[in-house]
Amino acid sequence: GAGVSQSPSNKVTEKGKDVELRCDPISGHTALYWYRQRLGQGLEFLIYFQGNSAPDKSGLPSDRFSAERTGESVSTLTIQRTQQEDSAVYLCASSRARSNEQFFGPGTRLTVL
Amino acid sequence: QKEVEQDPGPLSVPEGAIVSLNCTYSNSAFQYFMWYRQYSRKGPELLMYTYSSGNKEDGRFTAQVDKSSKYISLFIRDSQPSDSATYLCASPGGGADGLTFGKGTHLIIQP
């Protein structure tokens, strides 16, 4: 079956611009996660959705970051006024309700010039 | 101290060798452990998922957990060049809803 998909696969933007990253989870997966992977670093957890609810947004790096999810499907991660330190691969994962087995998408490689 | 520590490598071994990849963790709340494999410019792929102490085997892969020493290992038998990737250990818990990852070990299998 189809896995987690993310778009765009690559995004190059100028400092100060806003970007929107999209994630389509596996059908039937109610839980959705966003992570950030900086060069040479491990994955950094950003936010978790159960359905369209995000109970804890404290993992988002700053108030320039926001995320939303429509029902139990598509999620978008928005970064406003991008900075060079936002350059990273942004990974989305999904799982069945609170299962520990998370399945990842291919990621969006964001480069802020 | 990071909650999950891994040697970043690179670890280079000849084809056919047994590979040992290791992680240590500091948070006693960690009960479940995963190993992910990540090829270059791809998302992580779940390889193994363990809960209890002891060994879990799946084909050429064996995951080992020693909770008394907070040490987890992944063994790869009969290693292949296609096993060349970054291997990430992870655990849920630690106060967040997501997984806590190590930085990953870059493995190179030489043909």
Side-chain angles (χ1 to χ4, degrees):
Chain A
V4 178
S5 61
Q6 292 187 245
S7 61
S9 55
N10 284 284
K11 177 70 177 178
V12 180
T13 190
E14 294 179 346
K15 178 181 172 180
K17 300 283 190 182
D18 297 351
V19 296
E20 190 172 277
L21 313 179
R22 176 187 168 109
C23 172
D24 279 275
I26 293 171
S27 178
H29 282 192
T30 58
L32 185 147
Y33 308 80
W34 283 98
Y35 293 84
R36 177 170 72 175
Q37 188 174 31
R38 288 171 157 161
L39 190 65
Q41 302 295 313
L43 278 73
E44 173 190 0
F45 169 69
L46 298 180
I47 193 168
Y48 151 74
F49 286 91
Q50 179 56 46
N52 63 4
S53 173
D56 183 359
K57 300 181 180 179
S58 62
L60 295 174
S62 76
D63 59 9
R64 297 185 294 104
F65 287 70
S66 62
E68 61 180 29
R69 187 179 184 194
T70 305
E72 294 184 348
S73 59
V74 171
S75 175
T76 55
L77 178 69
T78 302
I79 310 173
Q80 295 178 310
R81 304 181 303 282
T82 52
Q83 304 293 312
Q84 288 182 332
E85 65 261 26
D86 299 334
S87 296
V89 176
Y90 289 83
L91 290 154
C92 174
S94 71
S95 72
R96 299 189 187 280
R98 294 315 300 271
S99 166
N100 292 315
E101 295 183 66
Q102 297 181 21
F103 297 87
F104 283 82
T108 293
R109 184 173 299 273
L110 175 66
T111 303
V112 182
L113 301 176
Chain B
Q1 180 188 12
K2 282 185 65 67
E3 290 191 299
V4 180
E5 299 272 7
Q6 279 185 272
D7 185 334
L11 174 63
S12 183
V13 301
E15 182 176 357
I18 296 174
V19 175
S20 173
L21 302 165
N22 307 297
C23 282
T24 58
Y25 64 96
S26 57
N27 191 335
S28 297
F30 289 172
Q31 297 294 313
Y32 299 86
F33 302 92
M34 294 89 167
W35 283 97
Y36 282 84
R37 176 174 64 194
Q38 187 174 26
Y39 291 114
S40 180
R41 294 185 172 263
K42 301 287 187 183
E45 170 194 7
L46 181 63
L47 276 179
M48 303 279 288
Y49 171 27
T50 61
Y51 169 69
S52 57
S53 286
N55 294 352
K56 181 177 180 180
E57 192 172 316
D58 184 0
R60 296 185 296 113
F61 298 89
T62 299
Q64 188 176 81
V65 177
D66 182 346
K67 291 186 178 179
S68 63
S69 59
K70 297 189 176 68
Y71 198 83
I72 57 177
S73 301
L74 179 70
F75 299 97
I76 307 174
R77 292 185 300 281
D78 187 25
S79 55
Q80 306 293 313
S82 59
D83 295 328
S84 299
T86 295
Y87 289 79
L88 302 155
C89 58
S91 182
D97 289 309
L99 298 175
T100 300
F101 280 86
K103 286 187 177 182
T105 298
H106 183 205
L107 174 66
I108 300 168
I109 307 297
Q110 302 165 335

